[in-house]
Amino acid sequence: MEIFFIRVLQFILAISLLVLLHEGGHFFFAKLFGVRVEKFYVFFDWKFSLFKFKPKNSDTEYGIGWLPLGGYCKIAGMIDESFDTEQMKQPEQPWEFRSKPAWQRLLIMIGGVLVNFLLALFIYSQILFWWGDTYIPVKDMTLGMKFNQEAKSYGFQDGDILIGTENGAFKDFSADLYRDISEAKRVDIIRNGKKMSISLPGDLNLLNMLKADPSFVRPLLPAKVDSIIPGTPAEKIGIKAGDQILALNNSPVDSYNEFVDLLGRRQDLLDTATSPADSMKARTVTIVFGNESRKDTVTTQLTPDLKLGFVVSSIAGLYKPVTKEYEFFESIPAGIKYGWDVLAGYVGDMKYVFTTDGAKSLGGFGAIGSLFPPVWDWYMFWKMTAFLSIILAFMNILPIPALDGGHVLFLLYEIITRRKPSETFMIRAEYVGFGILLLLMLVANLNDILRWLGYL
Protein backbone atom coordinates (compact mmCIF):
# COMPACT_ATOMS: atom_id res chain seq x y z
CA MET A 1 0.00 0.00 0.00
CA GLU A 2 2.91 2.33 0.75
CA ILE A 3 4.27 1.78 -2.77
CA PHE A 4 0.84 2.60 -4.20
CA PHE A 5 0.64 5.93 -2.36
CA ILE A 6 4.20 6.90 -3.29
CA ARG A 7 3.41 6.32 -6.97
CA VAL A 8 0.09 8.17 -6.69
CA LEU A 9 1.76 11.18 -5.06
CA GLN A 10 4.44 11.31 -7.76
CA PHE A 11 1.80 11.01 -10.47
CA ILE A 12 -0.40 13.75 -9.00
CA LEU A 13 2.56 16.10 -8.47
CA ALA A 14 3.83 15.59 -12.02
CA ILE A 15 0.42 15.95 -13.68
CA SER A 16 -0.46 19.01 -11.58
CA LEU A 17 2.79 20.70 -12.56
CA LEU A 18 2.35 19.89 -16.25
CA VAL A 19 -1.29 20.97 -16.37
CA LEU A 20 -0.54 24.19 -14.49
CA LEU A 21 2.23 25.16 -16.89
CA HIS A 22 0.29 24.02 -19.97
CA GLU A 23 -2.67 26.21 -19.10
CA GLY A 24 -0.19 28.90 -18.08
CA GLY A 25 1.05 28.95 -21.68
CA HIS A 26 -2.45 29.76 -22.93
CA PHE A 27 -2.88 32.29 -20.12
CA PHE A 28 0.40 34.08 -20.93
CA PHE A 29 -0.37 34.66 -24.61
CA ALA A 30 -4.00 35.58 -23.87
CA LYS A 31 -2.88 38.28 -21.44
CA LEU A 32 -0.11 39.36 -23.82
CA PHE A 33 -2.70 40.13 -26.50
CA GLY A 34 -5.28 41.67 -24.15
CA VAL A 35 -7.71 38.73 -24.08
CA ARG A 36 -9.67 38.15 -20.90
CA VAL A 37 -9.26 34.82 -19.13
CA GLU A 38 -12.43 34.10 -17.15
CA LYS A 39 -11.32 30.92 -15.38
CA PHE A 40 -7.93 29.32 -14.75
CA TYR A 41 -8.17 25.83 -13.23
CA VAL A 42 -5.90 22.91 -12.56
CA PHE A 43 -8.17 19.90 -13.22
CA PHE A 44 -11.81 20.21 -14.23
CA ASP A 45 -14.43 21.72 -11.92
CA TRP A 46 -17.50 19.95 -13.33
CA LYS A 47 -20.39 20.71 -10.93
CA PHE A 48 -18.04 21.89 -8.14
CA SER A 49 -14.44 22.78 -7.33
CA LEU A 50 -12.10 21.89 -4.47
CA PHE A 51 -10.79 25.43 -4.19
CA LYS A 52 -11.34 28.74 -5.93
CA PHE A 53 -10.72 32.46 -5.49
CA LYS A 54 -11.01 35.62 -7.54
CA PRO A 55 -8.62 38.49 -6.74
CA LYS A 56 -10.08 41.96 -6.38
CA ASN A 57 -10.31 43.85 -9.68
CA SER A 58 -9.41 40.69 -11.62
CA ASP A 59 -11.38 39.16 -14.48
CA THR A 60 -10.02 35.68 -13.71
CA GLU A 61 -11.27 33.08 -11.24
CA TYR A 62 -8.49 30.72 -10.14
CA GLY A 63 -9.16 27.29 -8.74
CA ILE A 64 -8.52 23.55 -8.43
CA GLY A 65 -11.08 21.13 -9.81
CA TRP A 66 -11.81 17.63 -8.58
CA LEU A 67 -11.66 15.78 -11.92
CA PRO A 68 -8.00 15.08 -12.86
CA LEU A 69 -8.53 14.84 -16.62
CA GLY A 70 -6.58 17.96 -17.52
CA GLY A 71 -6.78 21.68 -16.88
CA TYR A 72 -8.95 24.54 -17.94
CA CYS A 73 -8.23 28.07 -19.13
CA LYS A 74 -11.57 29.63 -20.11
CA ILE A 75 -10.79 32.35 -22.62
CA ALA A 76 -13.50 34.92 -23.30
CA GLY A 77 -15.09 34.75 -26.75
CA MET A 78 -13.90 31.28 -27.63
CA ILE A 79 -15.77 28.04 -28.32
CA ASP A 80 -14.15 25.44 -26.07
CA GLU A 81 -15.04 22.54 -23.77
CA SER A 82 -17.27 24.86 -21.70
CA PHE A 83 -19.72 24.97 -24.65
CA ASP A 84 -20.65 28.51 -23.58
CA THR A 85 -22.85 29.32 -26.57
CA GLU A 86 -24.67 32.18 -24.81
CA GLN A 87 -21.52 34.28 -24.72
CA MET A 88 -21.06 33.78 -28.46
CA LYS A 89 -24.54 35.20 -29.10
CA GLN A 90 -23.52 38.55 -27.61
CA PRO A 91 -21.90 41.35 -29.65
CA GLU A 92 -18.20 40.86 -30.20
CA GLN A 93 -16.01 42.70 -27.68
CA PRO A 94 -12.44 43.98 -28.24
CA TRP A 95 -11.12 41.95 -25.28
CA GLU A 96 -12.47 38.67 -26.65
CA PHE A 97 -10.55 35.90 -28.36
CA ARG A 98 -12.74 36.04 -31.47
CA SER A 99 -11.96 39.72 -32.06
CA LYS A 100 -8.19 39.20 -32.29
CA PRO A 101 -6.19 38.61 -35.50
CA ALA A 102 -5.78 34.97 -36.50
CA TRP A 103 -2.01 34.96 -35.81
CA GLN A 104 -2.59 36.09 -32.21
CA ARG A 105 -5.29 33.46 -31.71
CA LEU A 106 -2.89 30.87 -33.15
CA LEU A 107 -0.19 31.78 -30.61
CA ILE A 108 -2.73 31.64 -27.78
CA MET A 109 -3.74 28.12 -28.84
CA ILE A 110 -0.21 26.72 -29.22
CA GLY A 111 0.97 28.39 -26.00
CA GLY A 112 0.27 25.32 -23.86
CA VAL A 113 1.98 22.87 -26.21
CA LEU A 114 4.96 25.22 -26.58
CA VAL A 115 5.40 25.48 -22.80
CA ASN A 116 5.17 21.70 -22.32
CA PHE A 117 7.74 21.01 -25.04
CA LEU A 118 10.17 23.66 -23.78
CA LEU A 119 9.65 22.41 -20.22
CA ALA A 120 10.61 18.87 -21.24
CA LEU A 121 13.80 20.11 -22.94
CA PHE A 122 14.65 22.20 -19.86
CA ILE A 123 14.11 19.26 -17.48
CA TYR A 124 16.21 16.92 -19.62
CA SER A 125 18.98 19.53 -19.69
CA GLN A 126 18.90 19.90 -15.92
CA ILE A 127 18.89 16.13 -15.42
CA LEU A 128 22.07 15.90 -17.50
CA PHE A 129 23.59 18.84 -15.61
CA TRP A 130 22.85 17.55 -12.10
CA TRP A 131 23.07 13.77 -12.56
CA GLY A 132 24.87 13.30 -15.85
CA ASP A 133 24.05 10.42 -18.18
CA THR A 134 24.80 7.03 -16.56
CA TYR A 135 24.41 3.86 -18.59
CA ILE A 136 26.03 0.54 -19.49
CA PRO A 137 27.24 0.57 -23.11
CA VAL A 138 25.81 -2.35 -25.07
CA LYS A 139 29.21 -3.06 -26.60
CA ASP A 140 30.57 -3.63 -23.07
CA MET A 141 28.07 -6.43 -22.37
CA THR A 142 30.68 -9.04 -23.14
CA LEU A 143 28.46 -12.00 -22.24
CA GLY A 144 26.28 -11.01 -25.17
CA MET A 145 22.55 -11.36 -25.59
CA LYS A 146 19.87 -14.01 -25.38
CA PHE A 147 17.53 -14.12 -28.41
CA ASN A 148 14.12 -15.65 -29.03
CA GLN A 149 13.27 -17.93 -31.95
CA GLU A 150 12.19 -15.09 -34.24
CA ALA A 151 15.52 -13.33 -33.75
CA LYS A 152 17.39 -16.59 -34.36
CA SER A 153 15.48 -17.06 -37.61
CA TYR A 154 17.21 -13.89 -38.87
CA GLY A 155 20.64 -15.26 -37.93
CA PHE A 156 21.24 -14.08 -34.37
CA GLN A 157 22.79 -16.54 -31.92
CA ASP A 158 22.83 -16.56 -28.13
CA GLY A 159 25.98 -14.83 -26.92
CA ASP A 160 26.22 -12.38 -29.83
CA ILE A 161 27.52 -8.98 -28.70
CA LEU A 162 25.51 -6.19 -30.33
CA ILE A 163 27.52 -3.28 -31.75
CA GLY A 164 25.14 -1.18 -33.85
CA THR A 165 23.33 -0.78 -37.16
CA GLU A 166 24.04 0.99 -40.42
CA ASN A 167 22.70 4.11 -38.70
CA GLY A 168 25.19 4.08 -35.83
CA ALA A 169 26.31 2.35 -32.65
CA PHE A 170 23.93 1.17 -29.94
CA LYS A 171 24.11 3.21 -26.75
CA ASP A 172 22.44 1.29 -23.93
CA PHE A 173 19.92 -1.51 -23.62
CA SER A 174 16.57 0.28 -23.83
CA ALA A 175 13.52 0.61 -26.05
CA ASP A 176 15.71 2.64 -28.42
CA LEU A 177 17.79 -0.48 -29.10
CA TYR A 178 14.65 -2.39 -30.08
CA ARG A 179 13.57 0.53 -32.26
CA ASP A 180 16.96 0.69 -33.97
CA ILE A 181 16.90 -3.05 -34.70
CA SER A 182 13.33 -2.89 -36.01
CA GLU A 183 14.32 -0.22 -38.55
CA ALA A 184 17.73 -1.67 -39.42
CA LYS A 185 18.75 -3.46 -42.58
CA ARG A 186 22.07 -4.43 -41.04
CA VAL A 187 23.05 -5.19 -37.46
CA ASP A 188 26.74 -5.41 -36.60
CA ILE A 189 27.75 -7.95 -33.95
CA ILE A 190 30.74 -9.72 -32.46
CA ARG A 191 30.49 -13.53 -32.42
CA ASN A 192 33.26 -15.65 -30.94
CA GLY A 193 35.59 -12.66 -31.10
CA LYS A 194 34.92 -11.92 -34.78
CA LYS A 195 33.02 -8.97 -36.22
CA MET A 196 30.19 -9.81 -38.58
CA SER A 197 26.85 -8.43 -39.78
CA ILE A 198 23.31 -9.76 -39.92
CA SER A 199 20.86 -8.64 -42.60
CA LEU A 200 17.35 -7.61 -41.56
CA PRO A 201 14.30 -6.47 -43.59
CA GLY A 202 14.25 -2.99 -42.06
CA ASP A 203 10.59 -3.06 -41.05
CA LEU A 204 10.25 -5.44 -38.10
CA ASN A 205 7.18 -4.87 -35.94
CA LEU A 206 8.49 -3.08 -32.86
CA LEU A 207 5.40 -3.81 -30.79
CA ASN A 208 5.68 -7.55 -31.45
CA MET A 209 9.37 -7.46 -30.58
CA LEU A 210 8.64 -5.87 -27.22
CA LYS A 211 5.59 -7.97 -26.37
CA ALA A 212 7.02 -11.35 -27.41
CA ASP A 213 7.53 -13.83 -24.57
CA PRO A 214 10.44 -14.35 -24.44
CA SER A 215 11.26 -10.97 -25.95
CA PHE A 216 13.25 -10.52 -29.14
CA VAL A 217 16.52 -9.81 -27.33
CA ARG A 218 17.67 -9.59 -23.71
CA PRO A 219 21.06 -9.22 -22.03
CA LEU A 220 22.35 -12.72 -21.27
CA LEU A 221 22.52 -13.39 -17.53
CA PRO A 222 24.54 -16.38 -16.25
CA ALA A 223 22.56 -18.95 -14.25
CA LYS A 224 25.02 -18.54 -11.39
CA VAL A 225 23.51 -18.12 -7.93
CA ASP A 226 24.47 -14.87 -6.22
CA SER A 227 22.42 -15.31 -3.04
CA ILE A 228 19.68 -17.48 -1.51
CA ILE A 229 16.38 -16.21 -0.12
CA PRO A 230 15.88 -17.76 3.35
CA GLY A 231 13.04 -20.25 3.78
CA THR A 232 12.62 -20.97 0.08
CA PRO A 233 12.92 -24.28 -1.81
CA ALA A 234 16.42 -23.28 -2.95
CA GLU A 235 17.65 -23.17 0.65
CA LYS A 236 15.90 -26.41 1.57
CA ILE A 237 17.48 -28.44 -1.27
CA GLY A 238 20.96 -27.11 -0.56
CA ILE A 239 21.65 -24.64 -3.35
CA LYS A 240 24.57 -22.39 -2.35
CA ALA A 241 25.85 -19.02 -3.51
CA GLY A 242 28.23 -19.65 -6.39
CA ASP A 243 26.35 -22.72 -7.66
CA GLN A 244 25.38 -22.96 -11.30
CA ILE A 245 21.89 -24.05 -12.37
CA LEU A 246 22.59 -26.70 -15.00
CA ALA A 247 19.21 -28.18 -15.93
CA LEU A 248 15.51 -28.04 -15.19
CA ASN A 249 13.36 -31.13 -15.90
CA ASN A 250 16.01 -32.63 -18.21
CA SER A 251 16.25 -29.39 -20.22
CA PRO A 252 19.76 -27.88 -20.22
CA VAL A 253 20.03 -24.38 -18.73
CA ASP A 254 22.65 -22.22 -20.43
CA SER A 255 21.63 -18.94 -18.78
CA TYR A 256 19.30 -17.45 -16.21
CA ASN A 257 17.21 -16.24 -19.16
CA GLU A 258 16.69 -19.87 -20.22
CA PHE A 259 15.80 -20.84 -16.65
CA VAL A 260 13.12 -18.12 -16.52
CA ASP A 261 11.74 -19.24 -19.90
CA LEU A 262 11.47 -22.85 -18.70
CA LEU A 263 9.65 -21.71 -15.56
CA GLY A 264 7.27 -19.78 -17.84
CA ARG A 265 6.23 -23.07 -19.39
CA ARG A 266 5.44 -24.38 -15.91
CA GLN A 267 3.23 -21.30 -15.48
CA ASP A 268 1.26 -22.36 -18.54
CA LEU A 269 0.65 -25.76 -16.89
CA LEU A 270 -0.34 -24.10 -13.64
CA ASP A 271 -2.78 -21.78 -15.41
CA THR A 272 -4.57 -24.75 -17.01
CA ALA A 273 -4.60 -26.89 -13.84
CA THR A 274 -8.09 -28.13 -12.93
CA SER A 275 -7.30 -29.87 -9.63
CA PRO A 276 -4.89 -29.63 -6.66
CA ALA A 277 -3.04 -32.64 -8.09
CA ASP A 278 -2.52 -30.83 -11.40
CA SER A 279 -1.26 -27.74 -9.58
CA MET A 280 1.14 -29.82 -7.52
CA LYS A 281 2.42 -31.50 -10.68
CA ALA A 282 3.07 -28.12 -12.31
CA ARG A 283 5.00 -26.98 -9.24
CA THR A 284 7.14 -30.13 -9.03
CA VAL A 285 10.46 -29.85 -10.85
CA THR A 286 13.81 -31.61 -10.98
CA ILE A 287 16.79 -29.28 -10.65
CA VAL A 288 20.40 -30.03 -11.53
CA PHE A 289 22.87 -27.64 -9.90
CA GLY A 290 26.43 -27.57 -8.62
CA ASN A 291 29.95 -26.25 -9.11
CA GLU A 292 33.31 -27.52 -10.25
CA SER A 293 33.56 -30.04 -7.40
CA ARG A 294 30.01 -31.39 -7.21
CA LYS A 295 26.74 -31.86 -9.09
CA ASP A 296 23.38 -32.47 -7.40
CA THR A 297 20.04 -33.56 -8.84
CA VAL A 298 17.04 -32.85 -6.62
CA THR A 299 13.26 -32.98 -7.12
CA THR A 300 11.42 -30.24 -5.26
CA GLN A 301 8.28 -28.15 -5.26
CA LEU A 302 8.35 -24.51 -6.30
CA THR A 303 6.47 -21.84 -4.36
CA PRO A 304 2.83 -21.18 -5.41
CA ASP A 305 4.10 -18.35 -7.63
CA LEU A 306 6.68 -20.72 -9.16
CA LYS A 307 9.78 -19.33 -7.49
CA LEU A 308 12.81 -21.39 -6.49
CA GLY A 309 14.24 -18.71 -4.25
CA PHE A 310 17.64 -17.58 -5.49
CA VAL A 311 19.00 -14.35 -6.93
CA VAL A 312 21.53 -13.89 -9.74
CA SER A 313 23.71 -10.88 -10.49
CA SER A 314 21.91 -8.04 -12.23
CA ILE A 315 23.20 -6.24 -15.31
CA ALA A 316 24.49 -3.50 -13.00
CA GLY A 317 26.33 -6.15 -11.00
CA LEU A 318 27.92 -7.74 -14.06
CA TYR A 319 29.08 -4.63 -15.88
CA LYS A 320 30.49 -1.27 -14.83
CA PRO A 321 28.30 1.67 -15.85
CA VAL A 322 29.82 4.79 -17.38
CA THR A 323 28.75 8.33 -16.56
CA LYS A 324 29.04 11.26 -18.94
CA GLU A 325 28.96 14.53 -17.03
CA TYR A 326 27.88 17.87 -18.49
CA GLU A 327 28.74 21.46 -17.67
CA PHE A 328 25.74 23.79 -17.54
CA PHE A 329 26.11 25.17 -21.06
CA GLU A 330 26.91 21.70 -22.43
CA SER A 331 23.74 20.31 -20.88
CA ILE A 332 21.43 22.63 -22.85
CA PRO A 333 22.11 21.34 -26.39
CA ALA A 334 22.48 17.79 -25.01
CA GLY A 335 19.08 18.06 -23.29
CA ILE A 336 17.49 19.45 -26.45
CA LYS A 337 18.85 16.54 -28.49
CA TYR A 338 17.73 14.03 -25.84
CA GLY A 339 14.22 15.47 -25.74
CA TRP A 340 13.98 15.61 -29.53
CA ASP A 341 15.03 11.95 -29.77
CA VAL A 342 12.37 11.01 -27.21
CA LEU A 343 9.72 12.89 -29.20
CA ALA A 344 10.85 11.35 -32.51
CA GLY A 345 10.70 7.86 -31.03
CA TYR A 346 7.25 8.45 -29.54
CA VAL A 347 5.87 9.89 -32.80
CA GLY A 348 7.35 6.99 -34.76
CA ASP A 349 5.69 4.47 -32.46
CA MET A 350 2.25 6.07 -32.86
CA LYS A 351 1.63 3.99 -36.00
CA TYR A 352 1.16 0.94 -33.78
CA VAL A 353 -1.77 2.56 -31.95
CA PHE A 354 -3.96 1.90 -35.00
CA THR A 355 -3.39 -1.86 -34.83
CA THR A 356 -5.29 -4.36 -32.67
CA ASP A 357 -2.28 -5.03 -30.45
CA GLY A 358 -1.54 -1.32 -30.32
CA ALA A 359 -5.04 -0.52 -29.08
CA LYS A 360 -4.64 -3.19 -26.40
CA SER A 361 -1.36 -1.61 -25.32
CA LEU A 362 -2.98 1.75 -24.56
CA GLY A 363 -2.83 2.61 -20.89
CA GLY A 364 -4.71 5.00 -18.66
CA PHE A 365 -3.97 6.55 -15.29
CA GLY A 366 -2.98 3.21 -13.76
CA ALA A 367 -0.45 2.44 -16.50
CA ILE A 368 1.05 5.93 -16.31
CA GLY A 369 1.22 5.84 -12.52
CA SER A 370 2.99 2.47 -12.57
CA LEU A 371 5.82 4.02 -14.59
CA PHE A 372 6.89 6.00 -11.53
CA PRO A 373 9.36 4.24 -9.18
CA PRO A 374 8.09 2.52 -5.99
CA VAL A 375 10.35 4.77 -3.89
CA TRP A 376 10.69 8.53 -4.05
CA ASP A 377 13.52 9.15 -6.49
CA TRP A 378 13.92 12.71 -7.75
CA TYR A 379 15.99 11.61 -10.75
CA MET A 380 13.29 9.22 -11.96
CA PHE A 381 10.52 11.65 -11.00
CA TRP A 382 11.92 14.43 -13.19
CA LYS A 383 12.72 12.02 -16.02
CA MET A 384 9.13 10.74 -16.01
CA THR A 385 7.77 14.29 -15.73
CA ALA A 386 9.77 15.36 -18.79
CA PHE A 387 8.54 12.32 -20.72
CA LEU A 388 4.91 13.04 -19.77
CA SER A 389 5.40 16.69 -20.75
CA ILE A 390 6.46 15.60 -24.25
CA ILE A 391 3.49 13.23 -24.48
CA LEU A 392 1.11 15.98 -23.32
CA ALA A 393 2.55 18.39 -25.90
CA PHE A 394 2.28 15.89 -28.75
CA MET A 395 -1.19 14.62 -27.84
CA ASN A 396 -2.54 18.15 -27.50
CA ILE A 397 -1.28 19.22 -30.91
CA LEU A 398 -3.07 16.37 -32.68
CA PRO A 399 -5.71 17.82 -35.06
CA ILE A 400 -8.66 16.59 -33.00
CA PRO A 401 -11.45 19.06 -32.15
CA ALA A 402 -11.52 19.88 -28.41
CA LEU A 403 -7.72 19.62 -28.34
CA ASP A 404 -5.39 22.54 -29.02
CA GLY A 405 -4.45 20.92 -32.32
CA GLY A 406 -8.06 21.00 -33.47
CA HIS A 407 -8.28 24.75 -32.85
CA VAL A 408 -4.91 25.22 -34.59
CA LEU A 409 -6.22 23.30 -37.62
CA PHE A 410 -9.26 25.55 -37.93
CA LEU A 411 -7.12 28.66 -37.45
CA LEU A 412 -4.76 27.56 -40.21
CA TYR A 413 -7.80 27.02 -42.43
CA GLU A 414 -8.90 30.55 -41.63
CA ILE A 415 -5.45 32.03 -42.36
CA ILE A 416 -5.22 30.21 -45.70
CA THR A 417 -8.78 30.76 -46.93
CA ARG A 418 -9.44 34.04 -45.07
CA ARG A 419 -12.78 32.55 -43.97
CA LYS A 420 -13.78 31.65 -40.43
CA PRO A 421 -15.56 28.32 -39.86
CA SER A 422 -19.11 28.97 -38.68
CA GLU A 423 -19.88 28.93 -34.97
CA THR A 424 -22.35 26.09 -35.54
CA PHE A 425 -19.61 24.01 -37.17
CA MET A 426 -17.16 24.81 -34.37
CA ILE A 427 -19.64 23.78 -31.68
CA ARG A 428 -20.45 20.51 -33.42
CA ALA A 429 -16.76 19.81 -33.99
CA GLU A 430 -16.11 20.46 -30.29
CA TYR A 431 -18.78 17.91 -29.33
CA VAL A 432 -17.31 15.33 -31.73
CA GLY A 433 -13.78 15.91 -30.46
CA PHE A 434 -14.87 15.71 -26.84
CA GLY A 435 -16.61 12.40 -27.60
CA ILE A 436 -13.46 11.02 -29.24
CA LEU A 437 -11.37 11.99 -26.21
CA LEU A 438 -13.81 10.39 -23.79
CA LEU A 439 -13.81 7.20 -25.88
CA LEU A 440 -10.00 7.05 -25.95
CA MET A 441 -9.86 7.67 -22.22
CA LEU A 442 -12.44 4.95 -21.61
CA VAL A 443 -10.52 2.42 -23.72
CA ALA A 444 -7.19 3.27 -22.09
CA ASN A 445 -8.49 2.95 -18.52
CA LEU A 446 -10.52 -0.15 -19.38
CA ASN A 447 -7.27 -1.72 -20.60
CA ASP A 448 -5.76 -0.96 -17.18
CA ILE A 449 -8.63 -2.78 -15.47
CA LEU A 450 -8.40 -5.77 -17.84
CA ARG A 451 -4.64 -6.02 -17.22
CA TRP A 452 -5.24 -5.92 -13.47
CA LEU A 453 -7.78 -8.71 -13.85
CA GLY A 454 -5.38 -10.72 -16.01
CA TYR A 455 -7.33 -10.58 -19.28
CA LEU A 456 -4.70 -8.54 -21.19
Side-chain angles (χ1 to χ4, degrees):
M1 186 59 71
E2 180 182 358
I3 290 176
F4 171 79
F5 281 115
I6 289 174
R7 281 180 165 152
V8 167
L9 285 174
Q10 291 180 90
F11 174 70
I12 291 176
L13 178 58
I15 291 298
S16 299
L17 175 65
L18 297 180
V19 168
L20 175 66
L21 293 177
H22 177 92
E23 300 304 330
H26 296 306
F27 184 90
F28 170 78
F29 283 105
K31 289 295 187 181
L32 180 66
F33 299 130
V35 177
R36 287 185 185 176
V37 177
E38 297 176 354
K39 296 176 73 172
F40 184 91
Y41 269 71
V42 175
F43 304 148
F44 293 138
D45 62 329
W46 184 63
K47 298 297 185 181
F48 69 94
S49 59
L50 299 178
F51 168 78
K52 64 181 178 180
F53 78 99
K54 188 173 183 178
K56 188 177 181 181
N57 300 323
S58 173
D59 299 313
T60 308
E61 176 184 293
Y62 301 88
I64 300 175
W66 64 272
L67 192 59
L69 300 181
Y72 186 38
C73 184
K74 188 176 187 306
I75 297 172
M78 174 183 167
I79 298 173
D80 59 10
E81 57 267 39
S82 69
F83 300 108
D84 187 359
T85 56
E86 291 302 316
Q87 183 183 70
M88 305 303 292
K89 295 177 182 178
Q90 305 301 317
E92 189 174 294
Q93 301 297 326
W95 37 261
E96 288 186 327
F97 177 83
R98 55 181 168 168
S99 69
K100 301 299 178 179
W103 68 271
Q104 291 186 3
R105 285 180 279 136
L106 182 63
L107 285 174
I108 292 172
M109 292 316 307
I110 66 173
V113 168
L114 181 64
V115 166
N116 279 134
F117 185 62
L118 293 178
L119 174 67
L121 300 183
F122 173 76
I123 292 176
Y124 281 131
S125 297
Q126 292 306 296
I127 287 174
L128 294 175
F129 174 66
W130 289 101
W131 286 282
D133 188 11
T134 300
Y135 61 96
I136 298 172
V138 175
K139 65 180 179 60
D140 291 349
M141 296 183 181
T142 53
L143 294 174
M145 299 288 162
K146 183 76 174 177
F147 299 90
N148 68 7
Q149 288 304 313
E150 181 191 5
K152 290 177 180 178
S153 72
Y154 292 110
F156 290 105
Q157 293 182 13
D158 292 338
D160 287 347
I161 301 172
L162 296 175
I163 302 300
T165 72
E166 72 272 17
N167 295 317
F170 294 123
K171 181 187 174 186
D172 55 358
F173 190 85
S174 64
D176 288 335
L177 180 140
Y178 279 85
R179 187 177 292 109
D180 290 343
I181 292 177
S182 73
E183 298 171 352
K185 292 189 175 181
R186 188 194 80 234
V187 176
D188 300 323
I189 64 169
I190 295 177
R191 180 181 296 167
N192 299 323
K194 297 180 180 180
K195 288 187 177 181
M196 59 182 299
S197 298
I198 292 175
S199 297
L200 293 177
D203 59 352
L204 296 180
N205 188 296
L206 176 61
L207 192 60
N208 289 343
M209 292 171 66
L210 291 168
K211 292 184 65 177
D213 187 18
S215 55
F216 190 90
V217 56
R218 299 154 289 164
L220 192 149
L221 296 174
K224 186 176 182 180
V225 178
D226 185 67
S227 60
I228 302 295
I229 300 173
T232 59
E235 183 183 53
K236 294 174 183 176
I237 65 177
I239 297 179
K240 307 291 184 184
D243 282 348
Q244 194 86 14
I245 305 300
L246 303 172
L248 177 68
N249 290 342
N250 297 319
S251 296
V253 172
D254 62 3
S255 63
Y256 182 66
N257 311 79
E258 184 70 21
F259 180 76
V260 171
D261 294 344
L262 292 171
L263 285 185
R265 299 175 194 175
R266 310 304 298 177
Q267 184 66 56
D268 294 337
L269 293 175
L270 189 62
D271 291 342
T272 57
T274 57
S275 68
D278 291 338
S279 298
M280 193 63 67
K281 183 178 180 181
R283 290 172 52 195
T284 303
V285 295
T286 300
I287 306 287
V288 181
F289 60 92
N291 51 41
E292 294 179 356
S293 61
R294 77 175 212 287
K295 181 187 292 186
D296 297 320
T297 301
V298 180
T299 299
T300 188
Q301 291 177 3
L302 302 172
T303 62
D305 57 350
L306 297 184
K307 302 295 183 185
L308 188 56
F310 68 89
V311 178
V312 300
S313 294
S314 64
I315 294 297
L318 290 171
Y319 306 109
K320 183 179 180 180
V322 300
T323 300
K324 180 174 175 55
E325 296 183 347
Y326 293 85
E327 297 295 334
F328 180 78
F329 289 108
E330 289 179 315
S331 70
I332 296 173
I336 292 172
K337 181 181 183 304
Y338 191 104
W340 185 260
D341 289 343
V342 170
L343 175 62
Y346 184 76
V347 172
D349 296 343
M350 282 297 292
K351 61 186 176 184
Y352 296 108
V353 172
F354 303 102
T355 66
T356 301
D357 287 338
K360 291 179 181 178
S361 69
L362 288 174
F365 297 124
I368 296 172
S370 67
L371 295 175
F372 286 92
V375 295
W376 199 282
D377 182 327
W378 282 111
Y379 169 79
M380 289 304 300
F381 170 80
W382 287 116
K383 198 169 184 179
M384 272 302 305
T385 301
F387 179 62
L388 292 178
S389 192
I390 280 184
I391 292 177
L392 185 61
F394 175 73
M395 295 301 291
N396 263 283
I397 205 62
L398 291 176
I400 299 174
L403 289 178
D404 297 342
H407 292 283
V408 168
L409 178 66
F410 297 137
L411 280 167
L412 291 175
Y413 168 83
E414 179 184 340
I415 291 172
I416 294 171
T417 65
R418 300 184 181 277
R419 292 170 52 197
K420 278 187 178 182
S422 70
E423 290 182 3
T424 300
F425 172 82
M426 293 292 290
I427 292 171
R428 289 176 178 174
E430 197 77 13
Y431 275 115
V432 170
F434 203 69
I436 292 173
L437 294 181
L438 288 177
L439 179 61
L440 288 173
M441 197 169 296
L442 178 64
V443 170
N445 286 283
L446 180 60
N447 283 349
D448 284 351
I449 296 172
L450 292 176
R451 287 190 197 97
W452 182 66
L453 295 174
Y455 291 106
L456 274 183

